[in-house]
């Protein structure tokens, strides 16, 4: 299915991989459907993306076994399309890319469903930097702590130089056709891809690191939920 939504030259489409099961969350339902302040995490995330002026459409990759999406306010939303995701996050992102007409949407942002607190100003900063440079890029934030590498028995193996070390966040923004080709090449060569930037690295394309807020956490483990709720409510209070 290819989107035929007419698009202005500034129009962007976002892909939201939301087909995971959230094993580490230990929750009764996939974590993207847990409630935060009356809405599912997925709804918060998609609303954040659609609040960005240049993002015209969102393609959400949901599990073929998803039994929750149709109960959200996103079902039937005119600016939302769903596709079936795959075994890994990268497969879900690729499914989303296959649903996009890159002649209408030359650039795409990919953003985790599990990151509902991403500030709109960070997304706009990423969009602007990529447009200015013509290169793709990602939101990230610099490592603050001393970093250790451990062995299988949790003994310290080494202290990792943290200078110029960043946490990769999302959205990550790239030319849609190039990103699709890079992911397909990496998968064909059995390269493990955990984010869009690593696929672009594999085909020797550069990426810009755009400093973003640490509020943009990925809800992964049970204690992340309370932190996300605190951040969300603080953002709402600050307008
Ligand atoms: N096959 C998959 C796996 C993950 N994701 C999505 O990718 C995002 C980031 O992945 P992660 O935080 O690892 O989510 P899960 O894979 O669901 O978590 P877990 O590893 O704990 O199962 C999530 O929004 C998740 O829904 C996806 O679309 N398709
Ligand atoms: C894409 C990502 O959010 C970058 O940090 C992260 O890799 C996704 O989580 P996963 O556990 O690797 O699927």
């Amino acid at each position: 299915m290819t989107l035929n939504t007419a698009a202005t030259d500034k129009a962007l489409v976002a892909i939201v991989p939301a087909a995971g099961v959230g094993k580490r969350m230990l929750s009764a339902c996939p974590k993207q459907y847990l409630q935060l302040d009356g809405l599912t995490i997925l709804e918060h995330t998609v609303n954040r993306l659609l609040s960005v002026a240049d993002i015209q459409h969102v393609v959400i990759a949901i599990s073929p076994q998803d039994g929750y999406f149709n109960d959200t306010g996103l079902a039937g939303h005119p600016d939302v399309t769903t596709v079936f995701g795959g075994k890994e996050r990268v497969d879900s992102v690729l499914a989303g890319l296959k649903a996009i007409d890159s002649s209408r949407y030359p650039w795409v942002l990919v953003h985790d469903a599990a990151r509902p607190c991403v500030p709109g100003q960070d997304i706009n900063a990423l969009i602007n930097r990529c447009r200015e440079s013509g290169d793709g890029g990602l939101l990230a934030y610099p490592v603050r702590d001393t970093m250790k590498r451990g062995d299988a028995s949790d003994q310290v193996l080494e202290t990792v130089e943290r200078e110029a070390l960043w946490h990769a966040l999302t959205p990550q923004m790239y030319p849609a056709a190039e990103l699709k080709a890079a992911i397909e090449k990496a998968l064909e060569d059995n390269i493990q891809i955990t984010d869009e930037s690593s696929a672009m690295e594999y085909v020797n394309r550069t990426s810009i690191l755009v400093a973003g807020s640490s509020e943009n956490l990925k809800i992964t483990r049970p204690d992340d939920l309370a932190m996300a709720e605190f951040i969300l409510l603080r953002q709402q209070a600050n307008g």
Side-chain angles (χ1 to χ4, degrees):
M1 169 185 60
T2 300
L3 293 180
N4 291 311
T5 313
T8 67
D9 59 359
K10 293 189 75 170
L12 292 167
V13 62
I15 292 172
V16 176
V21 295
K23 292 185 295 292
R24 290 168 287 179
M25 200 67 197
L26 307 176
S27 52
C29 69
K31 62 185 179 183
Q32 56 271 34
Y33 294 108
L34 292 171
Q35 294 271 325
L36 272 183
D37 192 30
L39 290 176
T40 63
I41 288 169
L42 178 59
E43 287 169 289
H44 282 289
T45 299
V46 174
N47 291 343
R48 256 319 132 95
L49 291 167
L50 288 174
S51 73
V52 171
D54 288 351
I55 295 178
Q56 275 200 356
H57 202 88
V58 176
V59 177
I60 307 175
I62 62 173
S63 166
Q65 292 76 40
D66 184 294
Y68 303 90
F69 181 80
N70 288 335
D71 295 332
T72 72
L74 299 171
H77 191 299
D79 299 327
V80 170
T81 301
T82 58
V83 294
F84 285 146
K87 182 173 179 294
E88 303 295 336
R89 179 185 180 280
V90 64
D91 302 307
S92 299
V93 171
L94 183 56
L97 286 164
K98 288 178 176 175
I100 290 168
D101 177 353
S102 58
S103 63
R104 290 181 184 276
Y105 293 103
W107 284 75
V108 63
L109 292 94
V110 182
H111 183 59
D112 295 328
R115 292 183 187 271
C117 302
V118 57
Q121 66 192 36
D122 287 8
I123 302 174
N124 281 312
L126 174 66
I127 293 169
N128 293 336
R129 285 288 303 282
C130 290
R131 282 185 168 148
E132 284 157 17
S133 70
D135 289 328
L138 65 150
L139 289 181
Y141 70 87
V143 163
R144 298 184 174 114
D145 307 302
T146 296
M147 305 300 286
K148 306 287 183 185
R149 186 179 306 283
D151 66 12
S153 54
D154 292 344
Q155 300 291 314
V156 174
L157 275 179
E158 62 172 334
T159 298
V160 177
E161 175 53 54
R162 70 177 163 185
E163 183 63 35
L165 208 54
W166 297 69
H167 293 274
L169 307 173
T170 69
Q172 305 195 9
M173 178 174 168
Y174 292 98
E178 289 183 30
L179 178 58
K180 178 173 176 287
I183 288 176
E184 287 173 335
K185 170 71 175 154
L187 289 176
E188 185 186 310
D189 296 352
N190 293 316
I191 303 297
Q192 190 190 11
I193 297 295
T194 56
D195 74 340
E196 290 60 64
S197 167
S198 47
M200 298 302 279
E201 287 165 51
Y202 183 63
V203 295
N204 301 313
R205 293 304 302 263
T206 55
S207 292
I208 303 168
L209 288 158
V210 178
S213 166
S214 57
E215 288 185 340
N216 182 11
L217 84 163
K218 182 166 68 75
I219 296 173
T220 305
R221 301 183 192 284
D223 55 359
D224 295 329
L225 201 61
M227 178 58 76
E229 185 143 44
F230 169 76
I231 292 168
L232 213 58
L233 293 174
R234 185 174 66 179
Q235 290 174 335
Q236 286 166 359
N238 293 343

